[in-house]
Amino acid sequence: TLFPYTTLFRSSNVGLARNLCFAFELSAKAEYTWIIGDDDIVLGGALVQLLSAIRENPNIDFLFLNTMSYDITNIDEIVKSLEMNNFVPKLELGKPKSQLHFDFKCELSDLFNPQIDEVFMGSLMCYVWRSELVKNIIADEDLSFDFSKPKSCYPHTYNFLHCLKPSSPSLHLSYLATANFWHGGADWGDEGCDLVVTQGLGIILYEAIRLGYVDEDNEASYFAHYMAIASPSYKRFLESPGDGFQDRLVD
């Protein structure tokens, strides 16, 4: 068997950010950690591929696992198709996240790349890390249900950037390990998520530059990429009916 035991934890709804940070604190019980959201599907062979990669690369501290994005409007059809096909994805129906269709060793800063993940390490299910190296360093009072709070936008990415080094030995795996349903991976849909894209992604980019994950040669292209995806999201956010999000923007 792959796992000698399983431990189940249940709690009240503490919000996305607090839940993720709690998972970071629990992960000390394992050598490696892989957090998967409740809207993601683990595909056939993913665990075997992951464990094989770890065994073959014992010095790796951080791994990128590819994911397949499908249009959420066809979710019932896609899930049924996956079930009938032993959870092997049909490439013609979706789009892989990483545009680099090969495996390679690299430094962590090389994975901070919009060609690999357009939301800069924001795709939670795409990352596995050595547990002892990445801890939750965000104080509880900095977390909330409010996505306009910076550390509530991308708490996992914030922890990656601050706990690891840009030179940390890493691995990019092109194998499709999960499936997700994010409007084809291009649009998160409602105004709350639009706020995460417009504000949270900008914060992560500034942090990455400050901490040395982005060199001067790439700064301009990364900001151009950020503006290309954030501008339409921000427009949707401003035009949305609103339930107070607009009033909670931070500088």
Tab-separated table of all heavy atoms in Angstrom, residues 1-7:
chain	number	residue	atom	x	y	z
A	1	THR	N	0.836	-1.196	0.000
A	1	THR	CA	0.000	0.000	0.000
A	1	THR	C	0.872	1.247	0.000
A	1	THR	O	2.009	1.238	0.464
A	1	THR	CB	-0.910	0.025	1.233
A	1	THR	OG1	-0.067	0.008	2.397
A	1	THR	CG2	-1.859	-1.172	1.249
A	2	LEU	N	0.301	2.360	-0.485
A	2	LEU	CA	1.057	3.605	-0.539
A	2	LEU	C	1.150	4.263	0.830
A	2	LEU	O	2.127	4.902	1.169
A	2	LEU	CB	0.385	4.570	-1.526
A	2	LEU	CG	0.479	4.193	-3.003
A	2	LEU	CD1	-0.344	5.157	-3.835
A	2	LEU	CD2	1.930	4.207	-3.474
A	3	PHE	N	0.107	4.101	1.654
A	3	PHE	CA	0.074	4.793	2.932
A	3	PHE	C	-0.166	3.801	4.062
A	3	PHE	O	-1.146	3.063	4.044
A	3	PHE	CB	-1.046	5.842	2.936
A	3	PHE	CG	-0.939	6.804	1.791
A	3	PHE	CD1	-1.784	6.693	0.695
A	3	PHE	CD2	0.028	7.800	1.804
A	3	PHE	CE1	-1.679	7.570	-0.367
A	3	PHE	CE2	0.126	8.673	0.751
A	3	PHE	CZ	-0.714	8.570	-0.340
A	4	PRO	N	0.711	3.771	5.089
A	4	PRO	CA	0.517	2.843	6.202
A	4	PRO	C	-0.644	3.259	7.100
A	4	PRO	O	-1.221	2.431	7.788
A	4	PRO	CB	1.842	2.916	6.955
A	4	PRO	CG	2.405	4.256	6.605
A	4	PRO	CD	1.963	4.525	5.203
A	5	TYR	N	-0.983	4.538	7.130
A	5	TYR	CA	-2.092	4.990	7.965
A	5	TYR	C	-2.611	6.327	7.447
A	5	TYR	O	-1.942	7.032	6.699
A	5	TYR	CB	-1.676	5.122	9.428
A	5	TYR	CG	-0.591	6.142	9.676
A	5	TYR	CD1	-0.900	7.479	9.886
A	5	TYR	CD2	0.752	5.762	9.693
A	5	TYR	CE1	0.082	8.425	10.106
A	5	TYR	CE2	1.752	6.701	9.916
A	5	TYR	CZ	1.399	8.029	10.130
A	5	TYR	OH	2.381	8.950	10.340
A	6	THR	N	-3.803	6.666	7.888
A	6	THR	CA	-4.419	7.940	7.534
A	6	THR	C	-4.981	8.572	8.798
A	6	THR	O	-5.596	7.899	9.619
A	6	THR	CB	-5.569	7.735	6.525
A	6	THR	OG1	-5.054	7.137	5.348
A	6	THR	CG2	-6.222	9.067	6.176
A	7	THR	N	-4.757	9.863	8.965
A	7	THR	CA	-5.302	10.599	10.103
A	7	THR	C	-6.268	11.648	9.572
A	7	THR	O	-5.931	12.402	8.655
A	7	THR	CB	-4.194	11.288	10.911
A	7	THR	OG1	-3.246	10.304	11.340
A	7	THR	CG2	-4.769	12.014	12.116
